[in-house]
Amino acid sequence: MNKIVFFLETKIPIGDNQFIFLDLAAYLAENTDIEIYYINNYFKEDANRNLSNKLHFCTPEEFDFEAAGDAVYFTPVNYLMHLIVRIRNCPYAKVCLYQYSNQALEWLSRNMDYVCSQKAIDDFINEYDARAYFNLSCVGRQVSFKNNNEIVFLPNVLGEKCSYSFEFRGLIDRDRINIGLLGPLNSETVYTLYNLFANFQISQNNKKTDIHIIGKSKIFLNDVFKKSSSNRTRIIFTGELNKENRKNYINKNVDMVLANSSYAIEAATCAVPVILPVSQNKPYIGNNYVYLFDAKGYKYNLDYSSLIALGSISHPLSEILDDIYIYDKKEKLARDCYKYCAENNALEVVSSKFLDFIESSKLYLKDCLCENWLAECLKRYDNFVLNHNISGYAAFLDAKEAIKRI
């Protein structure tokens, strides 16, 4: 293969389950002889995340798709039609899909006005071994593996090579608990913090506690939680820090980190134990925490249903605190988290799996155009474009929604 195109057409900067597109693109551009392109609407946040001078960074309108007619295209399942209208004249373009939600087939089907059932779409993709998954929860019950091939997972990746040394630091203060909460404090993560307070109260722990909020937080939440500080518990807000400063702060100030998703992977490189809080996106009562190395199915954002479904081993907060402050397991737990991350999430590991996946995939644009339901969607798009001054499937969907509201 001579060219790989990572294709997105998002309306906002990429998020947690899309970071892999830019991170893999930048890594492969720097470490292979393949021409690598990252195609998306321009966002400053994405440009700042790109660490490669060799990566071709283009918008969909700037990129010459026909000149890259023999490239491998990697795109989310739900962006399949967005890609097809761009490469429709490239029959030998290879199409490789990525599913980062168990709702992806529903999104794609809806974007095509339900001209085809989710099962039919699923069977078509599986016939060509053309899909990789973000984690096990994205697979969904509807998936049928026609060729009985191994499921390919491309999970959260470290946004850098996992080549630096493990710089462990002992307990910050044996007489005081220092726990970090990494990531933005917002309406989704605030319940994790409320629940953490509740679990401290029932842990029968007598040590004073510092809770470090490491990341951007909304001003009104700062005011709420500052009132929760007491003689025994201090809430410390760092504000937004860049990645290097986050790493230095964690290494020097906390003994463990609570984090989800890509922040959990990042925290593992800071030589501290990383704990996944089992949480809900609403008020809840629970006392379940999972060490990163016990995560199942590459799922790093756990609610109670996924905890049960995946069979992850969880612990009450009191056991976590005892492991670190009574049984002196901080270094062992930190090393186990780091080892897990190096073996499963390092860029060099995931990029190797990615290259194997796109090599084995068998789906080409010509195969897509032979499917009646895809051809029908393309026909509807063409008919609409004839009467409206638009370009691209995203604009097509927006225009249809606007007409519905009239």
Side-chain angles (χ1 to χ4, degrees):
M1 68 191 82
N2 298 317
K3 299 184 184 73
I4 302 175
V5 180
F6 291 80
F7 177 84
L8 291 164
E9 206 166 343
T10 65
K11 295 181 180 180
I12 59 175
I14 58 174
D16 182 69
N17 50 13
Q18 297 166 332
F19 286 148
I20 192 171
F21 284 84
L22 184 50
D23 292 343
L24 274 184
Y27 178 82
L28 292 171
E30 287 293 318
N31 294 279
T32 71
D33 294 326
I34 306 169
E35 283 186 53
I36 307 294
Y37 298 83
Y38 174 80
I39 311 301
N40 195 10
N41 296 316
Y42 180 82
F43 299 103
K44 183 178 179 180
E45 294 88 339
D46 295 359
N48 290 340
R49 188 179 178 90
N50 172 29
L51 300 177
S52 172
N53 293 321
K54 298 180 181 179
L55 176 62
H56 301 282
F57 205 92
C58 307
T59 67
E61 306 307 324
E62 295 169 338
F63 187 64
D64 188 343
F65 289 91
E66 292 192 21
D70 60 348
V72 175
Y73 287 84
F74 183 59
T75 196
V77 167
N78 46 301
Y79 280 76
L80 178 59
M81 284 306 302
H82 294 67
L83 176 63
I84 286 177
V85 300
R86 301 285 186 180
I87 63 171
R88 60 189 304 169
N89 296 320
C90 308
Y92 294 100
K94 186 179 246 190
V95 178
C96 298
L97 301 172
Y98 187 57
Q99 186 156 323
Y100 51 62
S101 169
N102 60 11
Q103 296 179 287
L105 294 177
E106 159 62 21
W107 296 337
L108 176 59
S109 181
R110 183 177 66 229
N111 286 346
M112 298 189 302
D113 288 331
Y114 301 102
V115 298
C116 186
S117 71
Q118 293 180 47
K119 185 179 185 306
I121 298 171
D122 182 64
D123 288 344
F124 167 69
I125 296 171
N126 286 333
E127 182 178 355
Y128 294 92
D129 300 323
R131 172 173 43 189
Y133 294 89
F134 182 52
N135 60 40
L136 189 58
S137 69
C138 297
V139 174
R141 296 178 181 177
Q142 78 283 354
V143 173
S144 56
F145 295 96
K146 183 173 182 179
N147 297 333
N148 295 316
N149 285 350
E150 181 182 353
I151 305 174
V152 178
F153 291 106
L154 301 174
N156 290 99
V157 296
L158 284 169
E160 57 196 66
K161 291 184 72 174
C162 192
S163 58
Y164 41 81
S165 60
F166 180 85
E167 300 173 0
F168 177 74
R169 190 185 190 96
L171 288 175
I172 305 302
D173 185 342
R174 185 167 291 277
D175 297 320
R176 191 176 196 100
I177 293 172
N178 280 279
I179 184 168
L181 184 65
L182 178 61
L185 182 62
N186 52 36
S187 57
E188 294 181 2
T189 56
V190 67
Y191 300 116
T192 298
L193 188 53
Y194 276 124
N195 196 59
L196 182 64
F197 288 140
N199 290 329
F200 266 116
Q201 291 176 356
I202 65 174
S203 69
Q204 297 182 338
N205 171 70
N206 295 319
K207 296 179 185 292
K208 292 185 177 180
T209 301
D210 287 347
I211 300 175
H212 303 253
I213 311 299
I214 307 165
K216 187 176 182 180
S217 57
K218 296 181 178 179
I219 294 176
F220 82 91
L221 290 176
N222 289 6
D223 293 338
V224 169
F225 286 112
K226 280 178 183 176
K227 296 175 183 177
S228 300
S229 293
S230 65
N231 291 334
R232 302 201 61 79
T233 304
R234 292 188 302 186
I235 312 297
I236 300 169
F237 294 90
T238 69
E240 191 169 13
L241 302 174
N242 64 34
K243 192 169 186 178
E244 188 61 30
N245 286 338
R246 290 198 297 266
K247 180 179 178 181
N248 290 335
Y249 185 89
I250 289 170
N251 191 256
K252 294 177 181 178
N253 294 280
V254 305
D255 291 318
M256 70 190 100
V257 167
L258 264 61
N260 290 314
S261 305
S262 59
Y263 289 106
I265 303 306
E266 177 187 331
T269 69
C270 303
V272 294
V274 180
I275 296 100
L276 308 174
V278 180
S279 58
Q280 303 285 119
N281 191 17
K282 57 185 178 181
Y284 69 98
I285 298 174
N287 195 1
N288 301 84
Y289 298 87
V290 176
Y291 285 118
L292 177 62
F293 53 78
D294 281 332
K296 305 292 185 184
Y298 305 101
K299 174 75 170 169
Y300 310 127
N301 194 345
L302 297 172
D303 56 21
Y304 287 100
S305 61
S306 59
L307 176 72
I308 295 169
L310 297 173
S312 297
I313 301 170
S314 68
H315 308 268
L317 179 65
S318 58
E319 284 188 13
I320 303 284
L321 298 177
D322 287 351
D323 280 348
I324 294 171
Y325 291 100
I326 295 180
Y327 302 120
D328 289 325
K329 291 184 179 181
K330 178 182 176 181
E331 181 173 6
K332 180 185 183 304
L333 294 169
R335 287 190 181 277
D336 287 347
C337 290
Y338 180 88
K339 181 172 181 286
Y340 173 91
C341 185
E343 293 176 351
N344 293 279
N345 308 94
L347 267 170
E348 50 266 44
V349 173
V350 180
S351 64
S352 178
K353 291 173 63 177
F354 169 76
L355 291 174
D356 289 343
F357 159 62
I358 63 174
E359 184 69 34
S360 63
S361 176
K362 306 176 187 68
L363 181 62
Y364 290 85
L365 189 277
K366 61 185 179 66
D367 303 309
C368 297
L369 297 181
C370 289
E371 293 295 310
N372 291 335
W373 49 276
L374 280 171
E376 174 63 23
C377 286
L378 200 55
K379 180 181 177 181
R380 293 185 183 188
Y381 169 79
D382 289 340
N383 290 338
F384 191 90
V385 168
L386 283 175
N387 300 304
H388 300 81
N389 185 26
I390 63 169
S391 175
Y393 207 75
F396 165 64
L397 294 176
D398 288 344
K400 287 201 306 176
E401 285 299 314
I403 290 172
K404 288 180 182 177
R405 291 193 294 267
I406 294 175

PDB file of all heavy atoms in Angstrom, residues 180-191:
ATOM      1  N   GLY A 180      -5.847  11.896  42.697  1.00  0.00           N
ATOM      2  CA  GLY A 180      -6.126  12.799  41.590  1.00  0.00           C
ATOM      3  C   GLY A 180      -7.339  12.365  40.796  1.00  0.00           C
ATOM      4  O   GLY A 180      -7.606  11.164  40.641  1.00  0.00           O
ATOM      5  N   LEU A 181      -8.085  13.330  40.291  1.00  0.00           N
ATOM      6  CA  LEU A 181      -9.184  13.076  39.355  1.00  0.00           C
ATOM      7  C   LEU A 181      -8.788  13.769  38.062  1.00  0.00           C
ATOM      8  O   LEU A 181      -8.776  14.997  37.977  1.00  0.00           O
ATOM      9  CB  LEU A 181     -10.500  13.628  39.894  1.00  0.00           C
ATOM     10  CG  LEU A 181     -11.754  13.347  39.069  1.00  0.00           C
ATOM     11  CD1 LEU A 181     -12.049  11.853  39.029  1.00  0.00           C
ATOM     12  CD2 LEU A 181     -12.958  14.091  39.632  1.00  0.00           C
ATOM     13  N   LEU A 182      -8.388  12.962  37.055  1.00  0.00           N
ATOM     14  CA  LEU A 182      -7.836  13.511  35.823  1.00  0.00           C
ATOM     15  C   LEU A 182      -8.896  13.628  34.744  1.00  0.00           C
ATOM     16  O   LEU A 182      -9.620  12.682  34.461  1.00  0.00           O
ATOM     17  CB  LEU A 182      -6.692  12.616  35.327  1.00  0.00           C
ATOM     18  CG  LEU A 182      -6.025  13.021  34.003  1.00  0.00           C
ATOM     19  CD1 LEU A 182      -5.403  14.409  34.107  1.00  0.00           C
ATOM     20  CD2 LEU A 182      -4.986  11.988  33.595  1.00  0.00           C
ATOM     21  N   GLY A 183      -8.930  14.806  34.132  1.00  0.00           N
ATOM     22  CA  GLY A 183      -9.895  15.054  33.062  1.00  0.00           C
ATOM     23  C   GLY A 183     -10.777  16.232  33.410  1.00  0.00           C
ATOM     24  O   GLY A 183     -10.825  16.679  34.563  1.00  0.00           O
ATOM     25  N   PRO A 184     -11.489  16.766  32.448  1.00  0.00           N
ATOM     26  CA  PRO A 184     -12.347  17.922  32.714  1.00  0.00           C
ATOM     27  C   PRO A 184     -13.453  17.588  33.705  1.00  0.00           C
ATOM     28  O   PRO A 184     -14.049  16.514  33.643  1.00  0.00           O
ATOM     29  CB  PRO A 184     -12.917  18.267  31.330  1.00  0.00           C
ATOM     30  CG  PRO A 184     -12.812  16.999  30.545  1.00  0.00           C
ATOM     31  CD  PRO A 184     -11.589  16.309  31.051  1.00  0.00           C
ATOM     32  N   LEU A 185     -13.700  18.492  34.620  1.00  0.00           N
ATOM     33  CA  LEU A 185     -14.800  18.331  35.572  1.00  0.00           C
ATOM     34  C   LEU A 185     -16.025  19.002  34.970  1.00  0.00           C
ATOM     35  O   LEU A 185     -16.080  20.227  34.842  1.00  0.00           O
ATOM     36  CB  LEU A 185     -14.439  18.956  36.920  1.00  0.00           C
ATOM     37  CG  LEU A 185     -15.493  18.819  38.028  1.00  0.00           C
ATOM     38  CD1 LEU A 185     -15.730  17.355  38.361  1.00  0.00           C
ATOM     39  CD2 LEU A 185     -15.066  19.582  39.276  1.00  0.00           C
ATOM     40  N   ASN A 186     -16.984  18.200  34.582  1.00  0.00           N
ATOM     41  CA  ASN A 186     -18.172  18.722  33.922  1.00  0.00           C
ATOM     42  C   ASN A 186     -19.402  17.982  34.425  1.00  0.00           C
ATOM     43  O   ASN A 186     -19.337  17.227  35.399  1.00  0.00           O
ATOM     44  CB  ASN A 186     -18.030  18.598  32.405  1.00  0.00           C
ATOM     45  CG  ASN A 186     -17.653  17.178  31.989  1.00  0.00           C
ATOM     46  OD1 ASN A 186     -18.100  16.201  32.584  1.00  0.00           O
ATOM     47  ND2 ASN A 186     -16.817  17.065  30.966  1.00  0.00           N
ATOM     48  N   SER A 187     -20.526  18.186  33.757  1.00  0.00           N
ATOM     49  CA  SER A 187     -21.774  17.587  34.223  1.00  0.00           C
ATOM     50  C   SER A 187     -21.737  16.062  34.178  1.00  0.00           C
ATOM     51  O   SER A 187     -22.516  15.403  34.859  1.00  0.00           O
ATOM     52  CB  SER A 187     -22.942  18.102  33.379  1.00  0.00           C
ATOM     53  OG  SER A 187     -22.716  17.833  32.002  1.00  0.00           O
ATOM     54  N   GLU A 188     -20.824  15.484  33.380  1.00  0.00           N
ATOM     55  CA  GLU A 188     -20.749  14.031  33.279  1.00  0.00           C
ATOM     56  C   GLU A 188     -19.886  13.421  34.378  1.00  0.00           C
ATOM     57  O   GLU A 188     -20.161  12.326  34.869  1.00  0.00           O
ATOM     58  CB  GLU A 188     -20.195  13.627  31.909  1.00  0.00           C
ATOM     59  CG  GLU A 188     -21.124  13.988  30.761  1.00  0.00           C
ATOM     60  CD  GLU A 188     -20.566  13.555  29.420  1.00  0.00           C
ATOM     61  OE1 GLU A 188     -19.482  12.951  29.395  1.00  0.00           O
ATOM     62  OE2 GLU A 188     -21.223  13.836  28.406  1.00  0.00           O
ATOM     63  N   THR A 189     -18.804  14.113  34.748  1.00  0.00           N
ATOM     64  CA  THR A 189     -17.870  13.557  35.731  1.00  0.00           C
ATOM     65  C   THR A 189     -18.128  14.040  37.153  1.00  0.00           C
ATOM     66  O   THR A 189     -17.568  13.505  38.100  1.00  0.00           O
ATOM     67  CB  THR A 189     -16.411  13.905  35.355  1.00  0.00           C
ATOM     68  OG1 THR A 189     -16.288  15.330  35.220  1.00  0.00           O
ATOM     69  CG2 THR A 189     -16.015  13.252  34.051  1.00  0.00           C
ATOM     70  N   VAL A 190     -19.002  15.017  37.299  1.00  0.00           N
ATOM     71  CA  VAL A 190     -19.225  15.576  38.622  1.00  0.00           C
ATOM     72  C   VAL A 190     -19.804  14.532  39.579  1.00  0.00           C
ATOM     73  O   VAL A 190     -19.503  14.540  40.786  1.00  0.00           O
ATOM     74  CB  VAL A 190     -20.144  16.820  38.530  1.00  0.00           C
ATOM     75  CG1 VAL A 190     -21.547  16.428  38.092  1.00  0.00           C
ATOM     76  CG2 VAL A 190     -20.196  17.560  39.859  1.00  0.00           C
ATOM     77  N   TYR A 191     -20.595  13.579  39.043  1.00  0.00           N
ATOM     78  CA  TYR A 191     -21.178  12.561  39.905  1.00  0.00           C
ATOM     79  C   TYR A 191     -20.122  11.590  40.426  1.00  0.00           C
ATOM     80  O   TYR A 191     -20.272  11.035  41.516  1.00  0.00           O
ATOM     81  CB  TYR A 191     -22.284  11.810  39.153  1.00  0.00           C
ATOM     82  CG  TYR A 191     -23.410  12.712  38.707  1.00  0.00           C
ATOM     83  CD1 TYR A 191     -23.679  12.908  37.359  1.00  0.00           C
ATOM     84  CD2 TYR A 191     -24.176  13.404  39.646  1.00  0.00           C
ATOM     85  CE1 TYR A 191     -24.699  13.752  36.948  1.00  0.00           C
ATOM     86  CE2 TYR A 191     -25.195  14.249  39.245  1.00  0.00           C
ATOM     87  CZ  TYR A 191     -25.452  14.425  37.890  1.00  0.00           C
ATOM     88  OH  TYR A 191     -26.457  15.272  37.493  1.00  0.00           O
TER      89      TYR A 191
END
